[in-house]
Amino acid sequence: MDNVDEKLTIFNEIFLNTLDKHAPVKTIKVRGKSCPFITPEIKASMIKRDQLHSLFRKTRDHYDWLKFREARNFTKTALVNAQKEYVLKEVQQHRNNTGSLWKVIKENIAYRERESVVYSKEPKLVAEEFNHFFSTIGVNAAKKASTLIQDPSVYLARNLSDVNRTDNSYPEENYRFSFTPVSCSEIRNIILAMPSNKSPGKDKVSMRVIKHSLPVILGPLTDIINCSLSSSSFPIAWKEAEVIPLLKDGNHEEASNNRPLSLLTFLSKICEKVALNQFGSYLMKNKKLSTHQSGNKKHHSCETLNLLTGDTIPPWMGNCIYTNDLPSSVHHSKLESYVDDSKLLLSFTVANVDCLKQQLEEDLYLIANSCSENELLINPGKTKYMLIGTRQNLQQLPVDMTINFLNETITPVSFAKDLGMTIDSYLTYDQHITILVSSCMNSLCQISRVKKCFDKEALTLIVSALVMNKMFYVSTVWSNTSSTNIKKLQL
């Protein structure tokens, strides 16, 4: 049998039926947050406290109030001490297991609970509307992008005779890439390396179940994956996902205001991991990845991207394009990317500011043209444009520094947020420091409420993770800020 879909159908039928028979999925109702540290003695004390409170509300007698207050304080102290002893015991028990330790920490640190979403329409209608939007957004974006090639403002870029469209940074391709069969041991290593606490997909089969079933399913699963690789066909069942909408901003009932979170089956992720390992090795070995891309690469991060671009005078493009060959499409500027966030950088002096707009718009047209040819959609409404320099130099610039991009006028902004860092036109980082201090203080307040429940070593770990990591994030970029801002960070 060479049809991968037929193989997967037979596998799922046997595997899922066996699980339904011997390990069926059960729905349980969680009534509230569990408090395992509450002992029978504390429960009795709580009952007595409530009884005394009820008595005082009836009599309003001062003597009854004193008895209730004494019982209340005793119960509160007992609860605090019991919780502290329980948490300390849990921390000591899971100290060598990072995942379990952080589970204990998160259970005791108060986070703002996400509000439950209520829809005015029938749930089924909302689900169908969201499903239609999320499933067609890619096709609609490709159609819209392809129409841009007919737009005169984009067509201009196709006739620029002085533009060199050749990218010489990549070597000639010596051979075609092709997938190779994988062994059972490779599949086993991939499965064992995957975390067991992630949410399952549509089939509700968790990674923990897959790991326990590995001795039985390893052979058939390896055969299905090899069949998928050899036939260049990804099973249809593995393309289905359970989608959870996450609100970005605005009205939660509008599908366009939500970001889809797709929960795929773990079996599909195993196959994807195999393909990623082989294709990633090919790209790295043959140096096919652009040197201007900092996302999803070893030894690269948001910080390396900002270090590359921190000393350049840019017009800013955020949330723009994800494509490996895009940097070769521009002529005057330099393009740096982190996954699908791209910056178009162009240095200039006050003396040649007249050429800036022409060169910038020309490169923007080239980018739009390249994206249109590859059915990638650019949203000029989300494109941000910033002029960075000293106060004296920026004051010498003309009042009108707007640029035109895809028939829209883009005005320079005074600050913009990029990859978690807020950058302003003067590179003072004042707003970034203000936001950073507020976020750190909020975390410290949360930690302060439960500090009695943790020992010194655990508190050091919590502060390091929830506070110091925020302060160290891209600190090499903003560390040259003013002494006033540095003082704000000295806790």
Side-chain angles (χ1 to χ4, degrees):
M1 184 185 299
D2 296 329
N3 191 312
V4 65
D5 288 297
E6 293 180 3
K7 286 187 175 184
L8 182 59
T9 300
I10 296 174
F11 174 85
N12 282 339
E13 184 177 348
I14 298 174
F15 184 47
L16 296 180
N17 287 342
T18 304
L19 290 178
D20 290 339
K21 181 178 180 180
H22 298 283
V25 176
K26 292 185 178 180
T27 303
I28 60 174
K29 182 179 290 186
V30 180
R31 297 185 178 276
K33 185 178 179 181
S34 61
C35 299
F37 53 85
I38 296 182
T39 62
E41 292 78 10
I42 294 178
K43 287 184 179 180
S45 176
M46 294 170 67
I47 294 173
K48 181 180 178 181
R49 175 202 61 188
D50 295 340
Q51 290 175 345
L52 291 174
H53 185 228
S54 178
L55 178 63
F56 165 72
R57 293 182 64 182
K58 290 180 180 179
T59 63
R60 294 294 175 178
D61 185 74
H62 180 68
Y63 178 72
D64 291 336
W65 162 254
L66 294 177
K67 292 174 65 177
F68 160 68
R69 187 177 66 178
E70 182 181 0
R72 181 195 63 188
N73 294 341
F74 175 82
T75 304
K76 184 177 181 180
T77 303
L79 282 170
V80 171
N81 292 335
Q83 183 182 11
K84 181 178 180 180
E85 292 177 5
Y86 172 79
V87 173
L88 287 175
K89 182 179 178 181
E90 289 290 300
V91 169
Q92 293 293 336
Q93 182 179 351
H94 301 290
R95 187 172 298 280
N96 297 325
N97 189 327
T98 306
S100 300
L101 178 60
W102 273 106
K103 184 177 180 180
V104 174
I105 293 173
K106 289 179 180 179
E107 286 176 350
N108 291 276
I109 292 182
Y111 289 96
R112 182 182 297 177
E113 295 185 1
R114 184 176 296 174
E115 297 180 0
S116 58
V117 179
V118 180
Y119 295 96
S120 59
K121 304 177 185 177
E122 289 291 331
K124 186 176 181 180
L125 294 176
V126 175
E128 291 177 351
E129 179 183 339
F130 276 51
N131 181 59
H132 175 73
F133 176 80
F134 290 143
S135 60
T136 59
I137 187 172
V139 177
N140 293 336
K143 289 181 179 179
K144 188 175 181 180
S146 61
T147 59
L148 288 177
I149 203 70
Q150 308 299 331
D151 192 293
S153 62
V154 179
Y155 186 78
L156 292 174
R158 304 174 66 190
N159 297 316
L160 295 173
S161 58
D162 60 339
V163 175
N164 181 12
R165 300 291 297 277
T166 304
D167 183 8
N168 297 320
S169 61
Y170 304 129
E172 292 292 332
E173 186 173 5
N174 297 323
Y175 57 90
R176 293 177 61 86
F177 170 79
S178 60
F179 290 111
T180 58
V182 291
S183 63
C184 291
S185 60
E186 291 180 70
I187 300 297
R188 181 189 291 108
N189 293 335
I190 290 175
I191 293 175
L192 295 179
M194 287 185 167
S196 302
N197 59 345
K198 301 299 181 181
S199 299
K202 183 182 177 182
D203 58 3
K204 301 303 178 186
V205 179
S206 66
M207 179 53 69
R208 185 174 287 105
V209 172
I210 293 176
K211 290 181 178 180
H212 288 319
S213 309
L214 200 54
V216 179
I217 68 173
L218 182 58
L221 180 59
T222 304
D223 181 62
I224 293 173
I225 292 176
N226 282 329
C227 182
S228 174
L229 297 177
S230 61
S231 62
S232 300
S233 175
F234 198 75
I236 296 176
W238 284 354
K239 297 179 182 179
E240 297 177 354
E242 184 176 314
V243 180
I244 300 175
L246 298 179
L247 181 64
K248 294 184 291 186
D249 194 15
N251 184 5
H252 67 275
E253 295 197 24
E254 294 184 13
S256 58
N257 292 335
N258 292 268
R259 179 184 293 107
L261 175 64
S262 299
L263 301 179
L264 295 164
T265 62
F266 282 112
L267 297 181
S268 69
K269 294 181 180 180
I270 297 169
C271 186
E272 290 176 358
K273 185 64 175 178
V274 171
L276 174 64
N277 290 343
Q278 294 190 16
F279 191 54
S281 298
Y282 166 81
L283 293 175
M284 296 300 295
K285 180 180 178 181
N286 294 278
K287 299 181 180 179
K288 294 292 183 180
L289 292 177
S290 172
T291 57
H292 301 280
Q293 174 62 259
S294 296
N296 299 329
K297 292 172 67 176
K298 289 184 178 180
H299 312 299
H300 288 73
S301 64
C302 305
E303 191 161 355
T304 58
L305 174 64
N306 283 296
L307 283 174
L308 285 171
T309 60
D311 58 350
T312 312
I313 309 300
W316 196 295
M317 288 188 66
N319 300 324
C320 189
I321 307 140
Y322 176 57
T323 176
N324 192 61
D325 298 328
L326 192 60
S328 62
S329 63
V330 296
H331 184 207
H332 306 285
S333 310
K334 178 183 177 183
L335 192 143
E336 298 289 343
S337 300
Y338 187 85
V339 191
D340 59 346
D341 290 336
S342 298
K343 300 177 183 179
L344 190 61
L345 310 163
L346 182 61
S347 299
F348 68 97
T349 62
V350 177
N352 65 358
V353 67
D354 294 335
C355 301
L356 168 69
K357 294 176 63 175
Q358 179 182 352
Q359 294 175 350
L360 179 56
E361 290 178 354
E362 184 177 305
D363 281 347
L364 288 174
Y365 290 146
L366 287 170
I367 291 174
N369 181 73
S370 176
C371 291
S372 298
E373 290 177 346
N374 293 281
E375 296 186 342
L376 296 173
L377 181 63
I378 294 180
N379 189 348
K382 292 186 177 181
T383 300
K384 293 185 179 180
Y385 162 44
M386 178 185 290
L387 298 166
I388 297 179
T390 63
R391 296 180 187 272
Q392 293 79 5
N393 286 338
L394 292 182
Q395 288 175 357
Q396 298 178 41
L397 296 177
V399 177
D400 183 15
M401 287 296 295
T402 59
I403 59 174
N404 295 317
F405 182 37
L406 298 182
N407 298 326
E408 288 203 19
T409 301
I410 303 177
T411 305
V413 296
S414 57
F415 64 89
K417 187 175 182 180
D418 178 59
L419 301 176
M421 183 174 69
T422 304
I423 300 181
D424 56 273
S425 296
Y426 306 121
L427 293 183
T428 60
Y429 305 106
D430 291 344
Q431 189 157 5
H432 178 76
I433 298 300
T434 301
I435 296 173
L436 177 61
V437 170
S438 176
S439 177
C440 290
M441 289 303 298
N442 182 50
S443 298
L444 286 173
C445 289
Q446 291 177 324
I447 297 171
S448 178
R449 296 189 186 102
V450 295
K451 63 182 180 181
K452 295 181 180 180
C453 298
F454 298 97
D455 57 16
K456 184 177 180 180
E457 187 175 350
L459 279 175
T460 303
L461 175 65
I462 296 171
V463 172
S464 176
L466 301 184
V467 180
M468 301 307 296
N469 278 350
K470 294 179 181 179
M471 297 181 65
F472 290 146
Y473 178 70
V474 295
S475 58
T476 51
V477 178
W478 55 259
S479 58
N480 63 338
T481 187
S482 64
S483 58
T484 303
N485 285 334
I486 296 297
K487 289 180 181 179
K488 294 179 182 179
L489 295 171
Q490 293 175 345
L491 305 176

